[in-house]
Every structure is written in C-alpha cells, then in structure tokens.
C-alpha cells in the first residue's frame, strides 16, 4: 500500500484482492480438517462466521485496519493448521 496515506486507494484495494481471496479460501478449507474437534453443524457455523467477518472487512478502507485484519487472518490460519480453534480475544 502507498506509504504515508491513511486511507487505502482503489488501487491498493485491487492489489489486496488476491491476498484476501487466498486467505478466505485457506481458512474455509482449514475448517474442514479432521484434526478440528467440530461437528458438522459447528463447521457450518464457523464457516458462516468467517464469511461474515470477511464481508464486514471488505468495507474497511483504513490502511492500518486492513493490515490488522490480514495479521488476524494469518494468525487464525496458523492456529487452524495446528488443529486449534481460534478463540475470541477479550
């Protein structure tokens, strides 16, 4: 993203599209892992949560918030790959 700008430009958002789609697909695939102790209903509910999070994230235009969302998605993906379910941070 462009340095020094607070708000992401349309070009920045277009450049991030591939990264967003990749993270989205990887997270959805990881939720199907047999390592996760989830029932079918729980898997479907988690996938719906992921869709909602990405839908809300798609409306974000602050550079810093977008980077934070990427960091959170990558962290969640690393936990899913280990067979852990990410918890809400309080």
């Amino acid at each position: 993203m462009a340095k020094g700008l607070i708000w992401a430009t349309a070009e920045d958002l277009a450049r991030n599209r591939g990264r967003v789609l990749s993270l989205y697909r990887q997270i959805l695939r990881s939720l199907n892992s047999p390592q996760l102790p989830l029932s079918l209903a729980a898997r479907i509910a988690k996938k719906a949560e992921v869709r909602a999070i990405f839908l809300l994230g798609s409306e974000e235009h602050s550079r810093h918030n977008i980077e934070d969302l990427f960091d959170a998605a990558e962290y969640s993906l690393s936990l899913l790959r280990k067979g852990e379910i990410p918890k809400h941070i309080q």
Side-chain angles (χ1 to χ4, degrees):
M1 287 194 219
K3 301 250 185 221
L5 296 176
I6 295 175
W7 303 109
T9 64
E11 293 150 0
D12 292 333
L13 297 175
R15 251 185 307 227
N16 288 327
R17 182 181 167 102
R19 186 175 174 196
V20 170
L21 290 174
S22 175
L23 283 169
Y24 177 70
R25 289 180 184 135
Q26 289 178 55
I27 290 172
L28 289 180
R29 284 187 195 124
S30 295
L31 286 171
N32 287 330
S33 172
Q35 295 177 343
L36 295 176
L38 295 173
S39 66
L40 178 60
R43 286 179 201 280
I44 292 171
K46 289 291 182 191
K47 287 180 180 183
E49 283 182 47
V50 169
R51 286 184 188 103
I53 290 168
F54 273 81
L55 183 63
L56 290 173
S58 70
E59 297 173 1
E60 185 58 57
H61 292 287
S62 166
R63 276 187 56 234
H64 303 292
N65 292 346
I66 291 170
E67 286 300 322
D68 288 344
L69 289 170
F70 280 137
D71 292 341
E74 289 167 353
Y75 175 73
S76 295
L77 184 59
S78 71
L79 288 178
L80 287 169
R81 287 182 175 157
K82 293 178 189 175
E84 300 174 23
I85 301 170
K87 306 281 190 260
H88 295 288
I89 298 172
Q90 298 182 14

